[in-house]
Amino acid sequence: MLADLGADVVRIERGDPSGPRAPQPWDGVLRGQRLVVADLKSDAGRETVLRFADAADVLIEGFRPGVAERLGLGPNDMSARNPRLVYARMTGWGQDGPLAQAAGHDINYIGLTGGLDAFRVDGGRPVPPLNMFGDYGGGSAFLVVGVMSALWERERSGQGQVVDAAILDGSSVLLQAIWALRDGGMWSDRPGTNVLDTGAPFYDTYVCKDGKYVAVGALEPQFFAALVEGLDLAGEQLPAQYDPAGWPTLRERFAATFATRTRDEWADLFAGRDACVTPVLTFAEVAHHPHVRARGSVVEVDGTTQAAPAPRFSRSKVSAPPGPPLVTEPATILADWRHDSAGERTRSSTA
């Protein structure tokens, strides 16, 4: 995300500098970055990191708490050399607390937020929403917000600071709307019975005649009315939209009706109607959808399919995704940074 928005990002990979890991041309997650290989257990490897930190605006590390300090690469070590450095720490559990030293992955972090328990239908087991909710939503996105905020604050104070970005914390913030609904008596801890977790028949997916699915999100009354009209059910005596006692009846009628046409037939029928009914696409289909194609939300880069950078700006232009990352000599990158700082720096540097 930072590279997409114009930062000069250098990724320091662990390993032996004499045998760098070959960049994979399909790995769009690393696009726009330059790779440096350094053995952090060696004096030379640590010195490489220190030289980058001396010149960088931001340093991001993802070790378990205390590891960077033991290597002599902790925040105090770095800020003594570069007081303006924003030192961003990305962990699952955070820098402190009983689990700070424990191993974990996305599924473990979101399991402690209450969110994972909600990703299931009534009576089913929790299903992880890929690793989008924790790693990328609660983790990466909040790290980027923290880095941007610290850089903005530095413009006033002249000082860098530490950003403690924990996937647990960010994922918890993403659930604030659910906490609010729960405190307001509008959310039950029984999964699959609430408005947004497949409990409501007007906010769910339905299988069509061809075995493919449509997504229905007709939350507001006007959208619900358009949904009922599009399904040709307006003449029936249906239960009130927000009467949970009538939801089983609504679901049965909706399911039976959606099963009479194919997914794409329903997509065509609901085109132009504000019913919030859309096809559920596979990854293979996404790039061919007219709206995705018109927006350029998915692009081809050197024969690979990638998401286009986001968000977009009225004046600043975000360039198209570059090719795969390149292994680069540290001296070359540092020379570039020195050249940039000789004039007016046009973009931030991140290691």
Side-chain angles (χ1 to χ4, degrees):
M1 292 171 68
L2 291 167
D4 282 351
L5 295 177
D8 187 357
V9 178
V10 176
R11 180 181 178 89
I12 302 176
E13 291 275 5
R14 69 181 68 187
D16 181 353
S18 64
R21 188 179 74 185
Q24 301 297 326
W26 46 262
D27 193 353
V29 175
L30 300 184
R31 68 191 188 198
Q33 303 178 24
R34 292 187 279 184
L35 299 184
V36 169
V37 177
D39 179 4
L40 299 188
K41 295 182 180 180
S42 71
D43 291 339
R46 288 192 293 272
E47 182 60 29
T48 296
V49 177
L50 290 171
R51 283 189 290 141
F52 275 115
D54 288 345
D57 294 294
V58 181
L59 184 141
I60 299 171
E61 64 95 0
F63 295 121
R64 295 195 200 194
V67 172
E69 284 81 354
R70 291 196 294 274
L71 291 171
L73 303 174
N76 292 337
D77 303 295
M78 299 301 192
S79 64
R81 301 169 62 109
N82 181 0
R84 290 175 57 83
L85 181 70
V86 172
Y87 193 110
R89 318 195 81 166
M90 181 80 263
T91 60
W93 303 114
Q95 294 298 312
D96 50 37
L99 292 176
Q101 294 296 329
H105 282 295
D106 177 291
I107 194 171
N108 307 116
Y109 311 136
I110 67 174
L112 263 63
T113 67
L116 179 58
D117 188 60
F119 283 100
R120 56 180 169 135
V121 297
D122 190 17
R125 63 185 178 86
V127 177
L130 305 182
N131 66 332
M132 300 296 104
F133 174 26
D135 285 349
Y136 290 107
S140 296
F142 277 83
L143 177 77
V144 170
V145 170
V147 165
M148 297 298 194
S149 299
L151 288 173
W152 180 255
E153 190 278 339
R154 190 182 73 176
E155 294 301 303
R156 292 160 170 74
S157 68
Q159 299 292 310
Q161 60 182 306
V162 177
V163 178
D164 175 6
I167 296 173
L168 173 72
D169 298 343
S171 301
S172 183
V173 173
L174 292 176
L175 291 168
Q176 180 53 39
I178 306 303
W179 283 111
L181 289 172
R182 191 173 180 273
D183 288 341
M186 294 180 285
W187 189 271
S188 165
D189 282 347
R190 179 182 168 191
T193 64
N194 301 287
V195 171
L196 300 176
D197 65 355
T198 75
F202 46 86
Y203 199 86
D204 205 349
T205 59
Y206 289 91
V207 64
C208 303
K209 186 177 181 179
D210 55 355
K212 298 179 181 179
Y213 291 83
V214 292
V216 177
L219 286 171
E220 290 79 8
Q222 67 273 25
F223 302 150
F224 180 79
L227 168 66
V228 171
E229 180 182 348
L231 292 174
D232 198 23
L233 299 177
E236 295 190 15
Q237 284 294 109
L238 297 175
Q241 178 183 4
Y242 276 95
D243 177 11
W247 285 358
T249 299
L250 284 177
R251 183 178 302 281
E252 181 181 353
R253 293 298 298 123
F254 291 171
T257 306
F258 276 118
T260 63
R261 298 174 187 261
T262 67
R263 181 199 66 181
D264 292 343
E265 287 174 340
W266 284 118
D268 291 341
L269 188 148
F270 278 101
R273 296 174 185 256
D274 275 344
C276 302
V277 177
T278 53
V280 176
L281 303 179
T282 65
F283 284 115
E285 296 173 307
V286 170
H288 305 291
H289 189 275
H291 187 79
V292 175
R293 190 167 59 244
R295 291 279 297 174
S297 301
V298 174
V299 295
E300 292 291 322
V301 180
D302 296 332
T304 66
T305 303
Q306 299 187 21
R312 305 177 189 193
F313 302 88
S314 61
R315 291 187 296 102
S316 302
K317 300 302 179 185
V318 178
S319 59
L326 299 176
V327 177
T328 309
E329 287 297 321
T332 300
I333 299 171
L334 291 169
D336 291 344
W337 286 5
R338 283 193 294 271
H339 176 75
D340 287 346
S341 63
E344 181 180 352
R345 174 166 285 182
T346 58
R347 57 180 179 171
S348 294
S349 50
T350 304

